Amino acid sequence: MKQLQLRTGLWASLLLGLLSCQGQHTNESPNFKDSDDFKIIGTTVEHDTDLQQLIFSISVKGKAGASVPEKAGQMDGAPVLGYVFPTNLSPEDVGFSKTEGILALALTSHPDFDDTPLWDENTNSIFDDDGIVWHPHWVVLVKDERVAGGLSVKQFDKADTSVKLPPTNPGMPMFMDSPGFPVITKGNTIKVVVPLYRMGHKTQFKFDGVAAYMQVNTSKEGLPLLGVYRVYSISSGDLSLPYAVSEK
């Protein structure tokens, strides 16, 4: 209970009020600030007890997954859209080494690069051309006041041998994994299916839902490699992680 209160409090302090972020100095094109495709109306995680998997789901006012970023034409400044499930799980639950931060499951689309080298999401037998197809990442998020959204994916020194990443990671110096779980978009809902054994058989945790704009940086030393620049909507309204896993 103490750990839950700590993580919930951390999220609230990090993101409360970020809906007013203006996304300054970004390649957010087009601007999705007022798009119904990113206005969340519901967030669930269901435990399928027969198939032993979790179904993470976000529903929006518009059409989930229909809006994707426009290409920046390069890695530096590349736009990333995300439907994100922040949780109170530990990074170790999905194969990261012990580290501080918030573990989140992010469903992302980014046309400028492909960070899922093991997976062929558009099934064209080419494994490095489908970054725009909605796909999942486990990430560890930390507070970062250098970007308008106040958060970034946690980075590490490549020389740090104490850092452990899942074997499906994309090879970037961040606490990020490319687990290859199936993502399904249908109507106003986007879902991802996660086998229980891929997250330590955890079925009791708290979570929330967030729609956000992120951006890659490879040129400015004072900015993170992948930062959050705008938060479009938060399922709970205050990021209190009020939701619990249900059974089906």
Side-chain angles (χ1 to χ4, degrees):
M1 180 62 70
K2 183 178 181 181
Q3 184 183 41
L4 170 59
Q5 292 172 342
L6 176 63
R7 290 182 181 273
T8 302
L10 177 57
W11 260 109
S13 67
L14 287 177
L15 286 184
L16 189 59
L18 286 181
L19 289 174
S20 63
C21 289
Q22 298 304 305
Q24 304 97 321
H25 311 299
T26 74
N27 290 325
E28 184 186 9
S29 178
N31 188 326
F32 295 110
K33 179 172 67 72
D34 298 316
S35 172
D36 284 348
D37 294 351
F38 296 102
K39 291 180 181 176
I40 298 175
I41 59 174
T43 305
T44 62
V45 177
E46 293 182 309
H47 174 203
D48 187 321
T49 56
D50 287 336
L51 298 180
Q52 287 297 290
Q53 56 193 11
L54 296 176
I55 300 96
F56 291 71
S57 178
I58 283 178
S59 298
V60 295
K61 279 179 117 177
K63 191 172 182 181
S67 296
V68 295
E70 291 182 1
K71 268 192 173 186
Q74 60 187 24
M75 185 73 160
D76 189 32
V80 179
L81 287 174
Y83 298 98
V84 184
F85 300 86
T87 76
N88 70 320
L89 291 163
S90 298
E92 304 98 287
D93 291 333
V94 299
F96 294 115
S97 52
K98 185 177 178 61
T99 191
E100 294 298 318
I102 301 298
L103 182 70
L105 182 57
L107 311 183
T108 67
S109 171
H110 42 75
D112 289 286
F113 64 101
D114 188 318
D115 53 7
T116 60
L118 296 177
W119 321 111
D120 178 22
E121 289 91 347
N122 61 6
T123 64
N124 66 350
S125 299
I126 301 172
F127 285 74
D128 62 356
D129 70 341
D130 41 23
I132 196 170
V133 179
W134 290 95
H135 58 277
H137 292 290
W138 286 114
V139 293
V140 176
L141 297 172
V142 292
K143 185 176 181 180
D144 196 326
E145 296 178 350
R146 298 173 296 173
V147 291
L151 291 166
S152 67
V153 178
K154 189 171 188 176
Q155 295 173 231
F156 58 85
D157 189 326
K158 289 182 179 180
D160 187 350
T161 58
S162 69
V163 172
K164 177 187 175 186
L165 303 178
T168 47
N169 77 85
M172 300 175 179
M174 297 184 287
F175 282 89
M176 174 187 285
D177 184 32
S178 300
F181 307 138
V183 174
I184 303 99
T185 56
K186 184 177 181 181
N188 73 330
T189 302
I190 185 167
K191 298 181 179 183
V192 60
V193 181
V194 183
L196 276 180
Y197 79 93
R198 295 286 298 275
M199 49 184 295
H201 293 272
K202 301 293 184 181
T203 59
Q204 302 297 316
F205 57 90
K206 294 289 190 176
F207 61 91
D208 213 324
V210 177
Y213 171 78
M214 297 160 276
Q215 189 168 293
V216 177
N217 164 63
T218 60
S219 64
K220 297 178 178 62
E221 191 172 334
L223 292 176
L225 182 56
L226 182 56
V228 177
Y229 286 81
R230 190 195 293 274
V231 175
Y232 297 126
S233 64
I234 301 172
S235 186
S236 66
D238 60 4
L239 215 63
S240 54
L241 277 69
Y243 309 120
V245 179
S246 61
E247 290 193 353
K248 61 174 293 188

